[in-house]
Amino acid sequence: MRHIFSSESVTEGHPDKMADAISDAILDAIIAKDPDAHVACETYLTTGMALVGGEITTETYVDIQKVVRDKIKEIGYTDSDMGFDYKSVAVLNAIHEQSPDIAQGVERQSIEEQGAGDQGLMFGYACRETKTLMPLPISLAHGLTMRLAEARKKREISWLRPDGKSQVTVEYSNGTPARVPVIVIAAQHTDEVNHSEIKEEIIEEVIKKVIPERYLDHKTEYFVNETGRFVIGGPHGDTGLTGRKIIVDTYGGVGSHGGGCFSGKDPSKVDRSGSYAARWAAKNVVAAGLADECELQIAYAIGVSKPLNINVDTKRTNKIPEKKIVKIIKQNFDFRPGLIIKNLNLKRPIYSKTAAYGHFGREDPDFTWEDIKPAQNLKDQIAI
């Protein structure tokens, strides 16, 4: 039986990802000085302007102007010829304090009693398609956009600019990845390079250095900058907004998404911490061999510490009954917000790194939700 599935990724210079990065940079700057701050920061970008808004309650001071400009510079918009420049962009600040009505439900005497910052559905997912237990399409798509950024920053491809996108289609045979029939790349470039040069260099220096040779064949189709020109990009070409790439942030459309974005939110917001914990649990279920695929849903109510519901769907790949898997998960993972924050050590300035190339499947010690040490405990409890 054959089926196909596609996922996309975007570079850090894509306007929506820039907005995510700025929001997370502001979060990091605040949480580094005030770990107990409440931050819900959003960014809107367009030609010549960065508007930062949201609700922030903190005891510290952060120079928002500097944080925004430094992040834009780091991403690579350093020249007005690109239509967006960290030196000349207007930075507008529309931040105010968090509603006290929300705060009273979150701020409790003990971490065990800390309530969820909002209602919502959080999902975690894992499967055996890659060594990081992520779906192959999104893993390859992220690999391509990361390679675009690397080739630009190292000047290996001199004409590349920061904005870019990728899309990878994977063909499956009996549930196993068999080949990659279609690859799409959109890479922002300088004005002087022609389309044929772009396509040839992208295929050789980006695609073939990321996509394993076993997935490519003579039938694989490459679509590179199919409009023929991509000089105008970034916020000058399209507006950017925090939270508009949530499927890129998670599993590339495989499984479910609760709807809330992650970037710009401190870990008291279960949109972020609950989703991280759900990935942690789902990944350890797969790593322990309890199932080959696992999707975990957690439901919360605002101001309530204990989840309303925990549901597991293994897509019929479970090795033991799903009820037993749910029981083992509850014995090993505590999904109360305060305990998630403590167990995953989330009150740290680690969030800027999450803003591009996905929040999951990254081999970084700061991404504590990727740790599979609990898997051994899950294995030990199968027979109990």
Side-chain angles (χ1 to χ4, degrees):
M1 180 178 175
R2 291 184 175 268
H3 75 279
I4 60 172
F5 195 88
S6 304
S7 294
E8 72 161 350
S9 178
V10 298
T11 66
E12 62 211 65
H14 183 281
D16 292 329
K17 270 288 143 233
M18 289 179 64
D20 287 342
I22 289 169
S23 295
D24 274 334
I26 292 170
L27 169 62
D28 275 355
I30 293 170
I31 209 170
K33 298 179 179 180
D34 181 6
D36 295 319
H38 291 305
V39 180
C41 177
E42 307 207 18
T43 304
Y44 170 81
L45 301 170
T46 190
T47 303
M49 186 186 79
L51 171 62
V52 178
E55 302 80 45
I56 296 177
T57 301
T58 181
E59 298 297 323
T60 192
Y61 168 77
V62 167
D63 187 341
I64 299 291
Q65 285 263 347
K66 185 177 188 307
V67 172
V68 173
R69 294 185 193 279
D70 285 351
K71 179 54 66 172
I72 295 170
K73 180 182 180 182
E74 178 188 320
I75 290 168
Y77 287 96
T78 57
D79 195 312
S80 58
D81 286 345
M82 298 182 190
F84 202 79
D85 180 6
Y86 80 98
K87 298 185 294 293
S88 60
V89 64
V91 179
L92 307 181
N93 186 343
I95 290 170
H96 57 89
E97 284 192 337
Q98 183 187 44
S99 163
D101 295 346
I102 295 174
Q104 70 178 358
V106 176
E107 295 173 351
R108 300 287 171 83
Q109 288 184 347
S110 70
I111 59 173
E112 290 82 4
E113 296 173 337
Q114 179 177 326
D118 201 352
Q119 70 176 54
L121 314 174
M122 315 310 152
F123 288 91
Y125 179 84
C127 65
R128 290 201 175 278
E129 290 182 17
T130 63
K131 68 176 184 177
T132 58
L133 305 185
M134 287 286 287
L136 183 62
I138 189 65
S139 296
L140 295 179
H142 284 323
L144 291 173
T145 50
M146 292 176 76
R147 174 60 189 152
L148 280 173
E150 179 185 54
R152 170 177 61 87
K153 292 175 179 179
K154 292 183 176 179
R155 302 293 295 171
E156 294 174 16
I157 301 178
S158 61
W159 45 261
L160 275 174
R161 282 180 170 174
D163 200 352
K165 302 176 76 173
S166 72
Q167 184 173 291
V168 177
T169 298
V170 175
E171 181 179 316
Y172 292 78
S173 176
N174 297 320
T176 301
R179 59 186 295 265
V180 172
V182 180
I183 298 168
V184 181
I185 295 283
Q188 187 188 14
H189 57 87
T190 56
D191 199 18
E192 71 277 359
V193 65
N194 64 55
H195 182 253
S196 61
E197 291 178 77
I198 291 170
K199 185 166 186 176
E200 180 180 354
E201 202 158 1
I202 289 294
I203 290 173
E204 293 300 321
E205 296 299 322
V206 177
I207 294 173
K208 289 187 177 180
K209 290 193 174 182
V210 171
I211 309 296
E213 190 176 352
R214 66 182 180 276
Y215 293 131
L216 303 175
D217 55 37
H218 67 282
K219 292 183 179 180
T220 300
E221 296 183 273
Y222 305 99
F223 296 93
V224 178
N225 286 20
E226 286 300 307
T227 67
R229 180 180 169 87
F230 186 9
V231 173
I232 299 173
H236 185 48
D238 195 4
T239 58
L241 189 64
T242 300
R244 207 154 56 180
K245 286 290 178 283
I246 58 176
I247 301 304
V248 172
D249 287 340
T250 54
Y251 308 102
V254 177
S256 306
H257 194 292
C261 79
F262 305 152
S263 289
K265 297 176 181 176
D266 75 84
S268 72
K269 278 70 173 176
V270 286
D271 281 339
R272 181 164 224 156
S273 55
S275 296
Y276 288 0
R279 161 64 177 174
W280 188 34
K283 184 175 183 181
N284 277 277
V285 165
V286 174
L290 278 60
D292 292 334
E293 187 176 357
C294 181
E295 180 178 277
L296 178 67
Q297 183 199 57
I298 312 171
Y300 289 96
I302 189 169
V304 179
S305 61
K306 290 184 178 180
L308 308 183
N309 178 59
I310 297 172
N311 181 66
V312 167
D313 182 1
T314 62
K315 317 297 181 182
R316 299 182 179 178
T317 67
N318 50 303
K319 313 304 179 185
I320 61 174
E322 286 187 348
K323 287 184 178 180
K324 178 71 170 177
I325 294 175
V326 172
K327 181 179 179 181
I328 290 174
I329 288 172
K330 288 180 177 179
Q331 289 171 341
N332 288 271
F333 300 94
D334 196 318
F335 297 110
R336 287 176 289 178
L339 273 298
I340 293 172
I341 292 168
K342 177 184 176 182
N343 293 332
L344 292 179
N345 194 16
L346 296 180
K347 288 187 176 183
R348 297 175 295 140
I350 60 173
Y351 299 105
S352 289
K353 291 192 287 186
T354 70
Y357 314 118
H359 294 244
F360 308 123
R362 307 268 295 277
E363 296 178 332
D364 186 308
D366 284 333
F367 288 44
T368 50
W369 50 93
E370 294 296 314
D371 175 41
I372 57 170
K373 291 187 182 72
Q376 185 58 53
N377 288 335
L378 272 62
K379 287 181 184 178
D380 295 341
Q381 291 170 22
I382 291 176
I384 297 175

